[in-house]
């Protein structure tokens, strides 16, 4: 048995298959680049656009025609020059024809050298490489405001690299702006309760305060401390949810019972504002991470209580439709302007900064809600009610078919 030969044969077949696949991918890439250059040339207009509009068979004939035309012009120039030389230095006709041919090739090469000197493709390529190097150096120092202006006519095969590089710089710049905005918002959210705690703690040092005033100040300090603690918990939760592998432990439980428990746990808050509750919960068994979904209902209920005026109404509805559980959380607050609705799930986005700050928002609450719902393959949306207030709708599948990404 020729074991070595059979192994070599299999390796050779694998090599041939890999080579064919490589050639196929290479042709696809070349065709894609050719189509891109053609579309760019058509968009730019001019001679290149006219040339690209020709059928493919005429491209070769056009190139041959241009070459023969240029060669004919150079041959004519060489012929007349050698005729002038022949008047001063007579030579045989055959020698003159050979010299004309040689001089034509010389003029052809000289023309190409002059064209290369005028257009300097190597210099343009080096300028492009230097610009890319400088841009990468600036990006390494944190400056993502780079703008490489490159003409596709001169960039050649580097144009695709430059275009992708510009897109990468724009994306990184957007991420950096989001990071700076996030840090600024977190600092503002932390500074607000700290300022209140510091101010009222200093006020408590006064001996002229009555017992009622002292208790009022202590209540404010306690509320601001809870707000700060909630912000810390939410930031930790958001960091955990945005990690590559957040904790996710689904199990089957009663969703309606969980919602009742969350409402009862928030009784001091909604009773303090004398809110009227409209709770309609159908029996529903759901397969989900109970602790994560509890965070969703707590955040939504907290927002609804926060923006509902004193004496208003708060509604929570649970229905089962098909293979999904649908939860509506409604309030009778001032509502949200339509232009702000699509951005409410952004971290720390405030549709009305002064009102939200005064209400003591926890910042990333709705971002946490959206991320947890997405982990459960669900959907969450916010809309204004027909009369007054807002409605948050959460739709969750009753069973989890796959682990969240």
């Amino acid at each position: 048995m020729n074991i070595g030969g059979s192994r070599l044969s299999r390796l050779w077949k694998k090599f041939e298959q890999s080579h064919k696949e490589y050639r196929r991918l290479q042709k696809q890439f070349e065709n894609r680049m050719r189509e891109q250059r053609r579309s760019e040339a058509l968009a730019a207009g001019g001679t290149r656009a006219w040339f690209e509009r020709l059928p493919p068979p005429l491209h070769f004939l056009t190139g041959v025609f241009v070459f023969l035309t240029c060669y004919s012009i150079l041959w004519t120039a060489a012929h007349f020059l050698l005729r002038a030389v022949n008047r001063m230095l007579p030579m045989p006709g055959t020698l003159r024809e050979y010299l004309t041919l040689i001089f034509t090739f010389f003029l052809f090469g000289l023309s190409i050298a002059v064209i290369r000197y005028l257009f300097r493709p190597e210099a343009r390529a080096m300028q492009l490489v230097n610009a890319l190097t400088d841009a990468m150096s600036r990006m390494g120092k944190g400056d993502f405001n780079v703008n490489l202006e490159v003409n596709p006519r001169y960039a050649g095969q580097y144009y695709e690299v430059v275009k992708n590089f510009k897109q990468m710089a724009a994306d990184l710049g957007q991420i950096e702006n989001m990071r700076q905005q996030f840090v600024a918002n977190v600092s503002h959210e932390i500074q607000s309760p700290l300022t209140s705690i510091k101010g009222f703690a200093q006020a408590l040092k006064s001996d002229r305060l009555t017992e009622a005033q002292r208790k009022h100040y202590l209540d404010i300090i306690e509320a601001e401390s809870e707000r700060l603690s909630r912000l810390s918990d939410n930031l930790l939760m958001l960091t955990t949810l945005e990690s590559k592998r957040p904790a996710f432990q689904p199990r089957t439980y009663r969703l309606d019972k969980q919602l009742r428990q969350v409402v009862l746990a928030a009784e001091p808050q909604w009773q303090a504002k004398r809110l009227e509750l409209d709770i309609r919960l159908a029996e529903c068994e759901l397969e989900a991470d109970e602790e994560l979904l509890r965070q969703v209902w707590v955040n939504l209920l907290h927002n609804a209580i926060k923006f509902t005026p004193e004496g208003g109404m708060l509604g929570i509805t649970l229905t089962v439709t098909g293979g999904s559980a649908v939860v509506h959380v409604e309030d009778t607050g001032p509502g949200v302007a339509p232009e702000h609705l699509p951005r409410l799930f952004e971290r720390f986005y405030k549709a009305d900064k002064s009102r939200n700050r005064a209400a003591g928002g926890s910042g990333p609450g709705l971002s946490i809600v959206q991320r947890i719902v997405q982990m459960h393959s669900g959907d969450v949306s916010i809309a204004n009610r027909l009369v007054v207030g807002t409605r948050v709708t959460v739709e969750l599948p009753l069973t989890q078919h796959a682990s969240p990404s």
Side-chain angles (χ1 to χ4, degrees), residues 335-346 349 351 366 381-385 389-391:
V336 182
E339 62 270 19
H340 295 302
L341 286 173
R343 301 190 60 189
L344 288 181
F345 292 105
E346 296 180 12
Y349 181 77
L366 287 178
S381 61
I382 301 179
N384 288 318
R385 299 176 64 197
T390 58
R391 169 187 286 182

Side-chain angles (χ1 to χ4, degrees), residues 32-103:
R32 188 164 64 249
M33 291 296 295
R34 191 180 299 112
E35 287 298 322
Q36 182 176 352
R37 287 194 295 267
R38 182 173 184 272
S39 61
E40 291 170 353
L42 292 175
T47 306
R48 285 188 64 197
W50 172 84
F51 181 76
E52 291 292 346
R53 288 191 181 95
L54 295 176
L58 292 181
H59 288 181
F60 174 76
L61 295 178
T62 303
V64 171
F65 173 76
V66 172
F67 172 78
L68 292 177
T69 301
C70 294
Y71 184 82
S72 299
I73 294 173
L74 294 175
W75 185 88
T76 303
H79 178 74
F80 281 106
L81 284 173
L82 286 175
R83 283 185 63 179
V85 173
N86 187 56
R87 292 192 186 97
M88 296 181 290
L89 298 172
M91 63 186 74
T94 304
L95 177 61
R96 191 178 66 186
E97 293 298 328
Y98 277 116
L99 290 177
T100 301
L101 182 63
I102 294 173
F103 193 57

Side-chain angles (χ1 to χ4, degrees), residues 69-345:
T69 301
C70 294
Y71 184 82
S72 299
I73 294 173
L74 294 175
W75 185 88
T76 303
H79 178 74
F80 281 106
L81 284 173
L82 286 175
R83 283 185 63 179
V85 173
N86 187 56
R87 292 192 186 97
M88 296 181 290
L89 298 172
M91 63 186 74
T94 304
L95 177 61
R96 191 178 66 186
E97 293 298 328
Y98 277 116
L99 290 177
T100 301
L101 182 63
I102 294 173
F103 193 57
T104 301
F105 281 107
F106 172 76
L107 290 177
F108 190 79
L110 181 63
S111 301
I112 293 177
V114 171
I115 292 174
R116 289 182 65 85
Y117 176 77
L118 293 176
F119 290 97
R120 295 179 295 175
E122 294 87 357
R124 292 181 182 274
M126 286 304 301
Q127 290 177 358
L128 180 59
V129 172
N130 292 335
L132 283 172
T133 304
D134 178 66
M136 286 187 286
S137 176
R138 290 167 55 190
M139 289 175 60
K141 297 177 181 178
D143 181 12
F144 299 102
N145 189 22
V146 295
N147 187 18
L148 297 174
E149 296 296 336
V150 178
N151 191 331
R153 180 178 180 183
Y154 303 117
Q157 65 271 27
Y158 293 107
Y159 180 71
E160 188 70 17
V161 176
V162 174
K163 188 172 72 171
N164 292 333
F165 183 85
K166 290 170 64 177
Q167 183 63 41
M168 179 188 68
D171 294 341
L172 290 175
Q174 185 177 5
I175 292 174
E176 176 64 15
N177 290 335
M178 292 174 61
R179 185 192 67 82
Q180 293 179 0
Q181 184 179 7
F182 178 74
V183 172
N185 286 329
V186 169
S187 300
H188 194 289
E189 290 285 345
I190 293 176
Q191 188 64 33
S192 179
L194 285 178
T195 302
S196 297
I197 292 172
K198 180 180 178 181
F200 287 106
Q202 290 176 348
L204 287 173
K205 296 179 181 179
S206 175
D207 297 330
R208 293 176 293 179
L209 293 177
T210 65
E211 190 62 29
Q213 289 176 324
R214 192 178 301 276
K215 184 178 182 301
H216 176 64
Y217 291 169
L218 287 173
D219 289 340
I220 294 176
I221 291 175
E222 183 181 6
E224 291 298 316
S225 299
E226 290 178 357
R227 176 183 169 191
L228 195 59
S229 176
R230 186 167 56 249
L231 175 61
S232 176
D233 293 340
N234 280 341
L235 288 175
L236 181 60
M237 173 67 71
L238 191 61
T239 303
T240 303
L241 293 175
E242 291 185 348
S243 63
K244 293 183 179 180
R245 293 183 179 179
F248 186 74
Q249 299 174 345
R251 70 175 188 87
T252 302
Y253 70 97
R254 287 277 297 272
L255 179 58
D256 53 310
K257 289 185 177 180
Q258 184 186 47
L259 289 171
R260 285 193 181 92
Q261 291 172 359
V262 171
V263 172
L264 291 175
E267 183 176 358
Q269 286 79 26
W270 51 262
Q271 275 196 349
K273 299 184 74 171
R274 299 193 298 277
L275 300 183
E276 180 182 349
L277 268 62
D278 181 15
I279 309 296
R280 289 174 289 174
L281 305 176
E283 289 190 6
C284 175
E285 282 195 350
L286 180 74
E287 183 185 2
D289 190 310
E290 187 174 1
E291 292 303 318
L292 289 179
L293 279 188
R294 183 182 298 275
Q295 187 72 31
V296 170
W297 314 131
V298 168
N299 280 335
L300 293 182
L301 185 60
H302 175 79
N303 281 344
I305 295 173
K306 177 177 61 178
F307 295 121
T308 302
E310 192 168 337
M313 188 178 71
L314 185 67
I316 300 179
T317 306
L318 168 61
T319 58
V320 179
T321 305
S324 300
V326 181
V327 178
H328 298 293
V329 180
E330 300 176 313
D331 63 64
T332 54
V336 182
E339 62 270 19
H340 295 302
L341 286 173
R343 301 190 60 189
L344 288 181
F345 292 105

